[in-house]
């Protein structure tokens, strides 16, 4: 099992033992407490005592996620499920001591950025943004602090600008200055990027997104290969109480069973849509002779035109994710697209089987460096031609492509 392929692990890990009459799926344990009268420290009392500390329903998804993120001993350090991605992120940020320092991406997930800004303003810690593509800026930020940096927070690709970081190099530099590195791996998924293998100390996930995959669960996870960090994060979960409900844990594992087929399909579709969209923006393109009437800027790390493409090809394996962006140039044009599309769902979030489209700046906390007319597309698993036709109808209604186009 240890050496099997990831697609097989996704299906096989975290199931009940194979024995006559056993269910093939683990049960959902709806309980707040467990029978027990022995002393808590007595090993004979067993692990489960109260359901804020442990629930056997968590075991399957936690073991599988740790395995996907390349934890060396998943029995010692399974992943830790949390009630949401933000609860998992909160636990990781809590590793920073009072008065400590954090560097985080200028285009980090806006919940993470807002939490760090608020903790900074409240005096709990010092948080500063950095450009994940600029290693000199990172090095200077680390070197300029007399008291040191405790944590470098990393996302790659970033949301929604899809900047690509040299994860291994960021880790190397951060470690040189004694900082821990936590990577939010939600956008890439462990199918294409495994930060622990690149030296990161902690990985967090919004399990809400690709891992669960059906837009019906809010859940998070932290993964680490360090036993001390694991114990600290486990203690945080138990005492701060951001635990996963048993039903959500079950749904997450059910969703993860199809992670490989969903993500590989949506990545392939995203890559092809990005290629076609870029073609629309080039009037000389032979396939689309009368093409664009306005500039359409398409960003996708899989496009050779993306400035982080080479790095993404080296850091990610087997794909470039399923999120792409179109800068339409104006709020009006972007809104015309989201008002016209029928199949694409105008909604925030990402990573589900259904394709979503959103003008990101409608969210007030989105940084001003994100263009106002930027649309973020989370590509699902529908047929590509239906997605393409619907998107072209939206772009046509917005005057972004000529009426002859599709
Ligand atoms: C959605 C998201 C989060 C937050 O997760 P929730 O499950 O919504 O709490 C964190 N990071 C990234 C990259 C996300 O996309």
């Amino acid at each position: 099992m240890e050496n099997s392929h990831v697609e097989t692990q996704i299906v096989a890990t975290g199931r009940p033992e194979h024995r006559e009459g056993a269910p093939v799926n683990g049960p959902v344990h709806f309980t707040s407490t467990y029978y027990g009268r022995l002393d808590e420290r007595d090993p004979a009392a067993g692990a489960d005592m109260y359901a804020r500390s442990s629930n056997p329903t968590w075991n399957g998804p936690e073991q599988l996620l740790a395995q996907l993120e390349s934890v060396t001993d998943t029995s010692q350090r399974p992943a830790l499920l949390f009630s949401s991605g933000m609860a998992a992120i909160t636990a990781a940020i809590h590793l920073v001591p009072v008065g400590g320092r954090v560097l985080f991406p200028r285009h980090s997930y806006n919940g993470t950025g807002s939490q760090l800004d608020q903790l900074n303003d409240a005096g709990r810690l010092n948080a500063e943004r950095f450009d994940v593509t600029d290693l000199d800026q990172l090095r200077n930020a680390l070197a300029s602090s007399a008291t040191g940096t405790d944590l470098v927070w990393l996302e790659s690709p970033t949301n929604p600008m899809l900047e690509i970081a040299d994860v291994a190099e960021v880790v190397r530099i951060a470690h040189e200055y004694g900082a821990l590195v936590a990577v939010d791996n939600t956008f890439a998924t462990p199918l294409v990027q495994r930060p622990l293998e690149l030296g990161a100390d902690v990985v967090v996930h919004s399990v809400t997104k690709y891992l669960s995959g059906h837009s019906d669960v809010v859940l998070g996870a932290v993964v680490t290969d360090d036993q001390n960090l694991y114990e600290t994060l486990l203690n945080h979960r138990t005492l701060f109480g951001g635990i996963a409900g048993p039903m959500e844990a079950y749904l997450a594992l059910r969703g993860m069973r199809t992670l490989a087929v969903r993500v590989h399909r949506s990545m392939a579709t995203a890559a092809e849509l990005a290629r076609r969209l870029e073609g629309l923006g080039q009037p000389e393109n032979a396939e689309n002779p009368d093409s664009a009437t306005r500039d359409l800027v398409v960003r996708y790390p899989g496009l050779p035109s993306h400035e982080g493409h080479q790095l993404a090809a080296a850091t990610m394996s087997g794909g470039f994710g399923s999120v792409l962006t179109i800068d339409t140039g104006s709020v009006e044009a972007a809104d015309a697209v989201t008002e016209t599309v029928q199949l694409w769902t105008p909604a925030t979030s990402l990573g589900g089987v259904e394709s979503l489209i959103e003008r990101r700046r409608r969210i007030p906390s989105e940084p001003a460096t994100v263009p106002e007319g930027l649309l973020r597309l989370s590509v699902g698993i529908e047929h590509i031609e239906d997605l393409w036709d619907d998107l072209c109808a939206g772009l046509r209604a917005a005057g972004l492509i000529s009426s002859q186009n599709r």
Side-chain angles (χ1 to χ4, degrees):
M1 265 310 296
E2 285 302 309
N3 298 319
S4 64
H5 297 89
V6 80
E7 290 81 358
T8 307
Q9 293 170 357
I10 280 169
V11 174
T13 296
R15 292 199 185 266
E17 251 181 87
H18 286 194
R19 65 177 163 72
E20 205 60 25
V24 293
N25 290 299
V28 187
H29 296 262
F30 289 112
T31 189
S32 62
T33 190
Y34 305 91
Y35 286 102
R37 69 176 88 77
L38 298 178
D39 188 310
E40 189 184 359
R41 287 153 298 190
D42 187 339
D48 296 318
M49 197 170 177
Y50 185 59
R52 179 162 35 73
S53 303
S54 63
N55 186 318
T57 321
W58 301 341
N59 299 350
E62 289 185 339
Q63 272 168 18
L64 174 53
L65 190 47
Q67 196 174 28
L68 295 181
E69 287 290 3
S70 305
V71 171
T72 47
D73 183 351
T74 54
S75 65
Q76 287 300 303
R77 296 172 293 271
L80 291 162
L81 284 183
F82 281 81
S83 53
S84 66
M86 284 312 301
I89 287 164
T90 300
I93 289 173
H94 205 80
L95 293 169
V96 178
V98 172
R101 183 163 186 257
V102 184
L103 298 175
F104 69 106
R106 65 176 173 156
H107 293 127
S108 74
Y109 174 71
N110 64 6
T112 307
S114 299
Q115 177 176 139
L116 285 167
D117 284 340
Q118 288 180 18
L119 291 171
N120 180 80
D121 294 348
R124 164 65 178 79
L125 47 73
N126 299 300
E128 242 176 77
R129 291 175 190 261
F130 76 105
D131 175 350
V132 302
T133 66
D134 187 344
L135 295 176
D136 288 336
Q137 193 188 100
L138 172 68
R139 212 177 275 110
N140 290 339
L142 287 163
S144 69
S145 170
T147 50
T149 301
D150 299 282
L151 177 66
V152 172
W153 194 267
L154 193 57
E155 291 172 40
S156 180
T158 59
N159 174 43
M161 298 306 286
L162 306 178
E163 296 146 311
I164 299 296
D166 186 337
V167 179
E169 198 54 18
V170 168
V171 168
R172 203 187 58 72
I173 295 168
H175 283 175
E176 222 176 89
Y177 288 89
L180 290 175
V181 178
V183 179
D184 184 334
N185 205 28
T186 303
F187 265 55
T189 84
L191 283 182
V192 300
Q193 179 169 270
R194 285 169 295 281
L196 297 182
E197 289 179 3
L198 302 170
D201 303 286
V202 174
V203 170
V204 302
H205 277 283
S206 172
V207 177
T208 312
K209 313 292 167 54
Y210 294 100
L211 294 168
S212 293
H214 295 75
S215 306
D216 55 3
V217 181
V218 174
L219 213 60
V222 179
V223 197
T224 180
D225 209 2
D226 179 304
Q227 187 66 33
N228 290 329
L229 291 177
Y230 175 80
E231 297 296 339
T232 305
L233 291 160
L234 173 61
N235 182 62
H236 180 283
R237 182 177 71 177
T238 304
L239 296 184
F240 284 66
I243 60 162
M247 194 66 208
E248 283 74 11
Y250 171 79
L251 285 171
L253 184 59
R254 190 189 206 278
M256 282 163 74
R257 297 295 183 211
T258 56
L259 179 71
V261 284
R262 284 187 286 105
V263 168
H264 284 137
R265 166 68 173 269
S266 63
M267 288 195 303
T269 304
E272 175 60 15
L273 289 176
R275 196 189 64 78
R276 290 187 192 182
L277 284 163
E278 195 171 56
L280 289 179
Q282 294 164 354
E284 71 283 6
N285 188 324
E287 285 173 43
N288 304 288
D290 50 23
S291 76
T293 55
R294 233 192 274 173
D295 269 1
L296 210 61
V297 182
V298 185
R299 302 196 113 232
Y300 180 68
L303 288 174
S305 61
H306 187 287
E307 69 266 15
H309 177 66
Q310 298 292 340
L311 203 49
T315 313
M316 303 166 90
S317 57
F320 298 92
S322 340
V323 175
L324 58 107
T325 66
I326 305 172
D327 186 357
T328 63
S330 74
V331 176
E332 294 71 31
D335 288 348
V337 176
T338 59
E339 277 162 24
T340 305
V341 287
Q342 299 288 312
L343 177 58
W344 293 81
T345 304
T348 198
S349 198
L350 61 137
V353 291
E354 61 289 292
S355 296
L356 305 181
I357 187 165
E358 181 185 35
R359 186 176 73 81
R360 284 300 295 175
R361 283 286 297 282
R362 79 192 181 101
I363 296 173
S365 59
E366 200 72 358
T369 42
V370 175
E372 277 193 316
L374 182 122
L375 291 169
R376 185 182 74 186
L377 285 71
S378 167
V379 178
I381 63 170
E382 303 92 338
H383 198 286
I384 186 170
E385 299 308 335
D386 296 330
L387 289 172
W388 177 244
D389 288 347
D390 192 43
L391 188 57
C392 285
L395 295 171
R396 216 179 294 120
L400 292 165
I401 56 177
S402 62
S403 52
Q404 287 92 335
N405 238 311
R406 292 294 294 197

